[in-house]
Structure formats: C-alpha cells, structure tokens
Amino acid sequence: MKLKTLFLTLILLSYFINAQNQDAELLKAKEFFENAGVPGDKWVEGETLYPNIRPAKHFHSSMLYYPGTEELHEDEVRVTFMGSSYSPSQTQSGMSILVELGNGEKFVFDLGIGSLRNYNSFSIPFNTINHVFLTHLHMDHVSDLPYLMMFRPIQGGWTPLHVYGPSGSEPQYGTAHMMKHMMEMTAWHQDSFHSWPIGEGYETKVHEFDFMDEGGVAYEANGVKITHWPTSHTKDGATSYRLDWNGRSICYTGDNRPNSLTIKKCQNVDMLISEVQTATVSLSAQSLGMPPAMAAYTIDTSHSPGYGLGYILNEANPTVGVATHYGYDDIFINETVAQVRYHYKGAFAFGAPDLVTFNIHGDGKVWWREGVAGNSIQVPKPHMTSETITFPAPKHQVYDVINDTVEKNEIPMELWYPKGHMPQRVKEWPITKDLTLPNPWAPSKKN
Ligand SMILES: [Zn+2]
Ligand SMILES: [Zn+2]
C-alpha cells in the first residue's frame, strides 16, 4: 500500500516537474519572440534609420502607397512629391509638393510642369487645392499654375484659388505681376469656360509678401502656420518656407545656395526638403551635353551640391533630410548620397522620382514609400460633402460667343447620328440664376 502511494506521488511529481519545464520553455520562447532582434533602448540599430524612421501600423502596405486606401490620422501629415525635377521626363515632373494634414487641409508648394497629371492620378480633386505657395517664379516651379487656375472650376472649384509668393526687386518681378498677366494670358480660356458654372473660380487671390522678410508669416489659420525667408537663387525673390501644424514641421527651401537662415529656421524639423545637385560637373557635363564651365557656373551661383546639402542637414538636424529637384539617374544617385554623407549622418531620402510619399505619424516618426498610380485617365470626382450642390450661373451661353457664320458651318447632328440613336440636343444652360440641386455624392446618400 505504502509503495503504491509512493509510486503515485512520484508519477504526479514527474508530471508537475514536466509541466513546470514546459511552462518555462514557453515563457522563454515568448520572451525570445518579444525581444530577440528588438533593440529597445539596449542598442542602436543601423546607421541612419534608428529610432525615428518607422512605418505606421495603419499603413495598407509599408513599401507602397496606394492613394485612397489610407485615412490620415488626426495628428498625421502626408507629403507627396507630385513633381521632383527641373526637367520633365517619363517619371519626373517639374517641382510640386503636396502636404496633406490630418485635419483634412491641403497645401501645395510649387506647381511645375506636368505635375498636375500626378494630382489627377492620385485622385486629388482640383477643388481641394485651394492654397498654392510658390518658392520662386522659374517655370519648372510654376508652369502648371495656369492649367490649375483654368480647370479647377470645372472640377467644382467655385471659390477663389489662393496663390502665395514673394515680391521681387521691382514690381514686375513679383508674384502679383506674374499672376495678373497669367490671368490676362488666359482671357480666351476664361471667357470660353464662362459658359459653364465657374462662380468665383477665376477670381484668384494673390498674396504677395516681401521677399526680404526673414520669418514673415505667409499663412496662418486653423493652427497652420507657414513662414518664409529669403534665399539666394539666380535673382532676388527666391524664398524658402516652413510649415508648422500640430507639433509637426516641414521646411522646403526651394532652389537655392546653401543658406545659413535655413539652418536657423529649420532646427530639428520633421522633414527638411531641399534641392540637390551632384558635384561632378565635368562628368555630368559629358552625359548631359552641357559644357562643364556652364554647369559649374550654374551650380556655383544658384544651386546646392550634395556637400552643401549635407552641411545644411548636419547643422539643422531634421528627423529626415530630403533631396529633391533632382534628375533621378541611377548612375549619380550613390555619388550624391556619398556627397551628402560627407557631412551628414542622419536619415536621408530622395524626394524623387515623382510620387514618393512621406508620412509623419505618431510622435514624430517618419516613413516614405513609392506611390502607385495607374496610367489611365483618372479625373477624380469633385470633393463635395454638403447635402446640396449650388451650381453657379454661367456668364453666358456657348453660342453667345460663337458667331452665326461659324455656327452655321457645324454639320447637323442628324447627319452623323445613326437613326434612332440621336439624343435630345443640349445646347443651352437652362437657367440664368444659380441652381441648387441634391448632391448625389453626399455622405448621407447610399448608392
Ligand atoms: Zn528649379
Ligand atoms: Zn529655380
């Protein structure tokens, strides 16, 4: 009997010890998966990315950004390079940076040649672009502006567009002068489109500020503050900007020579975006077909070589330094990085080619991804959330501005439509007053 009890006790004890061992093993395994490979505050991982370069949990993909798949968090900022170069190519447009804030507001910095196709392909309705800030008046930074001004009302932009930019050394070199003449240049376009609802869409409001103001406020509303300072680039009137919102901060220098004011104004910002050129003038001259002397003259008077950008980034210490306005050619990329790295050891990225997208999220973490866009036409639906839409009355009918002789030369529809296919012709806007109709896209409507 005693022996049997002892035997039973031994069996129970061995089970117990075994279970304890298994628990310890499980704990060890759990601890392994929690901590192995995770630096925490025990060590530093890598040379440049630790600890602030991190994807957010809510990203649909951590490598690619698919527009329309991610709602910005309340404290988040998304920065997309809709243009990234001075010279348009298959993959790069003239400079343009879209800044989207978690409060739903959007700000555009520069609008260079070809960049609007990227706004379309990213489904950014033109009627959500209400504030455009210009760093300077070179055409690789402003030449899509007349198109935006003219087509924005067609996508429901019936309120004035606001354009901000520097004055010049004389009035004819300022933003206001350029905008006045862009409006004049587009007189034919405007009057032709005044047969459609335009409202105040062509009453562009220009906010020209003194280019010499060091830290002047270009914009301030709803907790967003955009300040500016002068910088050296080919002629008086070039400007750099800083946007502040909700503890987030982004500097964009535009084109310039390395500038001590940028170091002062952009200390510890989340993103410091600047132009960069590769300081390999004689070599790049061979590939670009530009005499080395002319390339050297252009860079040394007007632009920032990699070494200069590295110097600025090292002194300003942003979470990430971003180089743009850059012909993203494979052969020069590593050289440019090496030049930047001569002075700067922090996180570094290219704001190129087009559509590279940065998110500033959480407590100041930054991550960047390739943006994905299709090739098909994707004119986005206008952004309209109210229950009704009020169509502004057109100024005139189409055939008010086409003379009778030209109109009579039009071939009658009956001659080209197949029998039974001819729709009722819509030749006139039906009302001379504003017209309010239910909004088929109102969030309350389910379809
Ligand atoms: Zn430029
Ligand atoms: Zn320029």
Side-chain angles (χ1 to χ4, degrees):
M1 193 66 185
K2 269 189 175 175
L3 253 179
K4 213 175 175 185
T5 312
L6 185 65
F7 189 61
L8 212 65
T9 310
L10 276 173
I11 286 175
L12 282 172
L13 200 64
S14 79
Y15 269 122
F16 181 70
I17 290 168
N18 204 12
Q20 280 234 316
N21 278 345
Q22 277 183 3
D23 279 355
E25 200 177 30
L26 196 65
L27 274 175
K28 202 176 153 194
K30 281 183 177 166
E31 202 265 341
F32 171 81
F33 272 99
E34 247 168 54
N35 293 316
V38 181
D41 48 16
K42 297 185 289 277
W43 73 89
V44 168
E45 184 177 67
E47 301 299 324
T48 64
L49 305 178
Y50 184 83
N52 289 321
I53 309 302
R54 286 287 176 275
K57 279 184 185 156
H58 67 272
F59 287 173
H60 182 73
S61 154
S62 292
M63 300 311 290
L64 299 170
Y65 171 60
Y66 299 94
T69 60
E70 288 172 19
E71 292 270 325
L72 277 181
H73 282 195
E74 262 175 29
D75 59 352
E76 193 176 7
V77 179
R78 182 161 53 223
V79 179
T80 308
F81 286 78
M82 295 298 191
S84 55
S85 179
Y86 47 90
S87 180
S89 68
Q90 291 294 331
T91 55
Q92 295 195 264
S93 310
M95 275 312 305
S96 186
I97 301 171
L98 170 67
V99 177
E100 297 171 273
L101 308 182
N103 67 4
E105 293 191 72
K106 292 181 174 63
F107 297 89
V108 166
F109 292 86
D110 289 336
L111 204 60
I113 183 165
S115 55
L116 281 175
R117 76 194 168 107
N118 288 326
Y119 286 84
N120 264 344
S121 66
F122 258 37
S123 284
I124 307 293
F126 286 179
N127 75 333
T128 63
I129 305 175
N130 299 317
H131 302 282
V132 179
F133 294 79
L134 305 175
T135 56
H136 62 296
L137 309 186
H138 278 153
M139 288 300 122
D140 55 322
H141 297 252
V142 305
S143 68
D144 266 14
L145 198 49
Y147 184 94
L148 176 71
M149 284 153 60
M150 293 304 108
F151 278 83
R152 182 175 162 275
I154 298 302
Q155 290 188 24
W158 299 328
T159 55
L161 173 71
H162 293 262
V163 177
Y164 307 77
S167 62
S169 53
E170 294 170 52
Q172 71 265 34
Y173 301 130
T175 302
H177 179 87
M178 182 188 76
M179 294 305 298
K180 178 171 176 270
H181 290 278
M182 267 188 190
M183 290 308 287
E184 284 180 13
M185 177 182 92
T186 50
W188 190 91
H189 189 122
Q190 287 174 55
D191 201 45
S192 76
F193 273 22
H194 268 309
S195 306
W196 280 264
I198 297 297
E200 296 173 354
Y202 289 154
E203 292 170 28
T204 306
K205 301 275 185 257
V206 182
H207 308 264
E208 182 179 287
F209 50 77
D210 180 358
F211 80 92
M212 280 299 287
D213 200 349
E214 295 181 7
V217 178
Y219 177 92
E220 190 165 18
N222 299 330
V224 183
K225 193 174 182 183
I226 298 174
T227 47
H228 64 91
W229 56 96
T231 197
S232 170
H233 175 61
T234 69
K235 179 168 174 59
D236 274 344
T239 293
S240 302
Y241 290 108
R242 172 177 169 143
L243 180 149
D244 284 276
W245 171 73
N246 200 21
R248 304 277 72 95
S249 50
I250 300 159
C251 279
Y252 170 43
T253 66
D255 297 2
N256 66 356
R257 296 288 292 160
N259 184 352
S260 58
L261 286 178
T262 297
I263 293 172
K264 214 165 104 190
K265 306 280 186 193
C266 302
Q267 284 292 314
N268 305 311
V269 290
D270 295 314
M271 287 176 71
L272 198 170
I273 306 164
S274 176
E275 68 137 321
V276 75
Q277 306 273 330
T278 319
T280 49
V281 172
S282 76
L283 182 63
S284 18
Q286 278 180 41
S287 67
L288 297 173
M290 185 189 266
M294 201 163 140
Y297 175 63
T298 305
I299 291 180
D300 291 351
T301 57
S302 312
H303 291 285
S304 299
Y307 299 108
L309 176 59
Y311 183 86
I312 293 284
L313 294 178
N314 184 52
E315 295 290 322
N317 190 38
T319 301
V320 61
V322 182
T324 190
H325 199 265
Y326 182 69
Y328 197 72
D329 293 320
D330 199 38
I331 202 159
F332 291 111
I333 291 170
N334 279 315
E335 174 59 27
T336 306
V337 172
Q339 293 182 7
V340 170
R341 288 282 176 235
Y342 184 79
H343 289 291
Y344 175 60
K345 309 296 178 208
F348 177 71
F350 282 99
D354 287 5
L355 301 182
V356 57
T357 302
F358 291 70
N359 286 62
I360 309 170
H361 62 92
D363 54 350
K365 301 278 186 284
V366 182
W367 191 250
W368 56 96
R369 295 171 282 172
E370 183 185 330
V372 180
N375 290 329
S376 58
I377 295 173
Q378 298 187 64
V379 177
K381 274 191 287 195
H383 178 74
M384 291 184 176
T385 54
S386 55
E387 289 299 311
T388 58
I389 301 176
T390 299
F391 291 87
K395 277 193 175 168
H396 49 65
Q397 300 287 350
V398 174
Y399 284 96
D400 291 346
V401 289
I402 295 177
N403 75 50
D404 290 348
T405 314
V406 173
E407 185 186 348
K408 274 180 194 140
N409 289 335
E410 276 192 27
I411 300 168
M413 288 165 70
E414 293 79 6
L415 294 181
W416 76 71
Y417 268 106
K419 234 190 168 125
H421 290 236
M422 195 175 94
Q424 186 187 350
R425 189 172 181 198
V426 179
K427 205 183 160 187
E428 289 201 331
W429 191 260
I431 188 168
T432 53
K433 286 185 276 190
D434 292 358
L435 175 64
T436 301
L437 295 171
N439 178 5
W441 302 301
S444 62
K445 296 267 186 318
K446 285 187 183 130
N447 49 11

